[in-house]
Amino acid sequence: MSAPIPLPPTESSPRPVRFMHQGELQSISDLPPTTTVLQWLREHAHCTGTKEGCAEGDCGACTVVLGQADASAPGGVALKSVNACIQFLPSLDGQALFTVEDVAATNGGQPHPCQQALVDCHGSQCGFCTPGFVMSLWHLYQHHDHAVSREDAADALSGNLCRCTGYRPILDAAEQMYKLPRVALDLAPVAEALQRLQAEDAGTFIYEARDAAEPSRTARFIAPRTLDELARWRAALPQARLLAGATDIGLWVTKQFRALGDILYLGRVDELQAIKPWGPADAPEGLEINAGASLEQAWGTLARHVRALREIWLRFASPPVRHAGTLGGNIANGSPIGDSAPVLLAMGAEIVLRHGEATRTLPLSDFYLDYMKNAMQPGEFVQALRVPLPPPGSALRAYKISKRRDSDISAVCAGLWLRLEGDVIAEARLAFGGMAATARRAAKAEAALVGQPWTDATMRAAQAALAQDFTPLSDMRATAAYRQRVAANLLERWWLETRPASPLKADVIQVWPATV
């Protein structure tokens, strides 16, 4: 086995992955760092209820629930659903893993209300997808002690695909499970076990084993606990692969069978998950969202401040992906069809990069250089995003166009913002994903707006200018002509929703009753 690159000075020594599963402490020391949770469950724990469908976090057949010690959460344990097929096993360290085999055990061995409701409502046919639905329903059940709306149930299940039963009986089951006698989940033993694990390990967690793709070499999974530790590790190991939620990098392993080498994991750095006001204390102008904040936390917070972002929050991937993935990772990934970048570009966001103890700040519009290329230097990482909140007189909208409404990749994504002074457009930022090699702003269309009144004629001029801003490609998601047409149409929809006289109301442009 080839010798790995020496580690920088540290008090930590490599140790096994330790987590709780079915009430017992699991200690894993001999599996490659890129072993997925699904592989461990099926091939080593012999818990085969969790299924593999797509191996990319899309179908939801592999849904499991993770528990993390959190004094502010009910029972002292925060629960989140994730896709087991793309989560690497070492990321479970210090957490609890719940699978479909555990659900009945929480009800004394009898079917849990979410399982019984699926039976009563005929919510299962071939049954392959059912374990994933059970786990998503169980996760929903633990977070709400009263019946939820059908809309909320549909959102909770948006990461689970069913090819034969359809969603009507499954949504019926989501309502029915609350009509059955309530089953309380006793998390006290789990919280106690997780607190013990946490107390025993305050430093950097290092796990090392053979590389799955290159068995002749050793690969390491390195998980610092503080932001300063992360900065030191990143500066010392600039070639290491940065990993947060694995919602993209996981596919490099499951689909492309790539070797990742050393992995520098961000998921244990609590400071990196903070979201706080940004700007003067007496009048903050926006939010500073640290790069490790989950997509769910980040977009949920943005949507609470800017109600117009609610739909794109709920349509951004699925709950299991949003629970695992991070906003910083989505931005650093730089996919031209990523949904975060167009909206944040339209909002005028800045990105904070860190190398060692030094930080620098760039407008997000300067961060993307070319297809999958950005302005980060070796040893740097994304520390935070600073997002201004729309001032009075703003008109902001975010639109996603995809073949499937929920949990699908965009053909076109748009973030559109302007600010009026009186009747005149003083500023405009129009950003699109799916239209070029990177998400970027439409400079000519913006120029057509600024200094003009916000009228139908001005919108038409921006549409004409937009045709000069982009030369999109045709691919499996959309043709170039379709993308050009739909981007222009989104400008018209934006105008219809924000025009000074008789703007369209939310209830005529949303699938569900809207709160915009």
Side-chain angles (χ1 to χ4, degrees):
M1 203 175 276
S2 61
I5 297 172
L7 297 177
T10 176
E11 296 180 359
S12 300
S13 299
R15 65 162 176 81
V17 180
R18 300 181 302 172
F19 60 94
M20 301 302 298
H21 179 235
Q22 296 187 339
E24 297 182 358
L25 176 64
Q26 306 296 320
S27 182
I28 312 298
S29 59
D30 59 349
L31 296 177
T34 52
T35 301
T36 66
V37 175
L38 180 64
Q39 286 174 314
W40 180 80
L41 281 170
R42 295 184 61 84
E43 299 172 13
H44 301 276
H46 307 295
C47 293
T48 55
T50 308
K51 308 300 184 186
E52 179 178 278
C54 64
E56 58 186 48
D58 194 33
C59 73
C62 70
T63 303
V64 298
V65 173
L66 301 183
Q68 188 170 25
D70 183 346
S72 66
V77 179
L79 300 174
K80 64 179 183 181
S81 57
V82 300
N83 298 114
C85 69
I86 52 175
Q87 287 294 303
F88 297 147
L89 194 65
S91 69
L92 291 191
D93 190 72
Q95 299 187 70
L97 172 64
F98 299 92
T99 69
V100 69
E101 287 88 355
D102 306 322
V103 172
T106 65
N107 191 29
Q110 298 299 310
H112 187 274
C114 67
Q115 295 170 308
Q116 189 61 53
L118 281 169
V119 173
D120 295 343
C121 297
H122 308 286
S124 179
Q125 191 166 325
C126 82
F128 191 88
C129 68
T130 303
F133 275 99
V134 167
M135 295 310 297
S136 289
L137 287 172
W138 187 75
H139 179 265
L140 179 68
Y141 190 87
Q142 303 310 327
H143 282 80
H144 298 274
D145 58 6
H146 54 81
V148 299
S149 68
R150 209 167 176 88
E151 175 191 6
D152 288 338
D155 289 334
L157 296 172
S158 63
N160 298 87
L161 301 184
C162 179
R163 299 298 190 189
C164 49
T165 305
Y167 285 85
R168 197 268 308 157
I170 300 173
L171 291 173
D172 289 346
E175 296 177 322
Q176 174 68 17
M177 67 182 182
Y178 288 103
K179 299 176 182 178
L180 300 173
R182 181 74 186 176
V183 172
L185 177 62
D186 182 11
L187 287 171
V190 179
E192 183 180 349
L194 297 183
Q195 288 165 4
R196 285 198 304 269
L197 286 179
Q198 196 173 63
E200 294 170 4
D201 180 33
T204 295
F205 164 49
I206 303 173
Y207 174 79
E208 61 180 32
R210 70 187 187 279
D211 192 302
E214 298 179 3
S216 64
R217 72 181 300 276
T218 297
R220 294 171 300 207
F221 185 98
I222 303 165
R225 291 302 296 259
T226 70
L227 187 56
D228 287 343
E229 287 177 5
L230 171 62
R232 288 194 292 270
W233 282 102
R234 181 58 171 162
L237 298 175
Q239 80 289 343
R241 180 69 60 188
L242 284 177
L243 177 74
T247 54
D248 184 60
I249 289 176
L251 276 65
W252 298 3
V253 173
T254 62
K255 294 297 187 180
Q256 300 174 19
F257 309 107
R258 288 169 57 176
L260 299 186
D262 289 338
I263 294 171
L264 190 54
Y265 181 58
L266 285 62
R268 286 161 58 100
V269 182
D270 291 341
E271 300 156 273
L272 210 56
Q273 299 172 28
I275 301 175
K276 56 189 178 183
W278 165 54
D282 57 342
E285 57 188 282
L287 297 171
E288 182 167 283
I289 303 174
N290 282 1
S294 71
L295 289 163
E296 181 71 3
Q297 293 172 311
W299 280 105
T301 303
L302 284 168
R304 283 192 292 276
H305 284 83
V306 186
R307 298 174 71 183
L309 299 181
R310 182 175 184 272
E311 181 180 348
I312 199 158
W313 162 37
L314 297 176
R315 292 187 59 201
F316 193 115
S318 65
V321 169
R322 296 199 303 267
H323 293 155
T326 64
L327 184 63
N330 190 253
I331 290 297
N333 170 275
S335 168
I337 49 174
D339 290 342
S340 294
V343 182
L344 297 186
L345 283 168
M347 296 179 75
E350 298 176 348
I351 189 167
V352 181
L353 304 176
R354 179 163 176 173
H355 185 288
E357 296 183 359
T359 61
R360 64 187 179 111
T361 303
L362 294 174
L364 185 58
S365 55
D366 292 344
F367 181 64
Y368 299 117
L369 305 179
D370 202 346
Y371 177 71
M372 304 302 282
K373 293 182 180 180
N374 59 48
M376 272 196 293
Q377 301 298 317
E380 275 190 321
F381 63 94
V382 178
Q383 178 173 298
L385 290 148
R386 293 173 176 167
V387 186
L389 295 176
S394 297
L396 172 69
R397 290 294 186 272
Y399 301 121
K400 174 173 176 153
I401 304 299
S402 56
K403 291 184 178 180
R404 188 173 64 227
R405 182 181 189 275
D406 288 314
S407 190
D408 200 6
I409 297 174
S410 294
V412 175
C413 183
L416 309 174
W417 173 87
L418 60 77
R419 181 177 63 84
L420 293 169
E421 289 184 356
D423 297 329
V424 175
I425 301 170
E427 296 180 89
R429 289 190 291 267
L430 317 182
F432 290 85
M435 297 289 287
T438 66
R440 64 178 177 85
R441 288 168 55 179
K444 291 182 173 62
E446 291 175 359
L449 293 174
V450 174
Q452 303 299 316
W454 188 216
T455 63
D456 181 83
T458 300
M459 179 273 297
R460 300 293 175 192
Q463 284 182 314
L466 185 67
Q468 307 302 314
D469 275 309
F470 299 106
T471 307
L473 298 176
S474 295
D475 59 22
M476 62 187 296
R477 295 182 185 91
T479 64
Y482 174 84
R483 286 185 159 114
Q484 287 279 26
R485 179 65 178 270
V486 78
N489 286 350
L490 290 177
L491 294 185
E492 184 165 0
R493 176 178 172 178
W494 180 40
W495 151 250
L496 292 172
E497 290 182 24
T498 63
R499 59 191 177 186
S502 303
L504 291 181
K505 297 184 181 301
D507 58 0
V508 302
I509 56 176
Q510 303 286 350
V511 174
W512 298 99
T515 58
V516 174

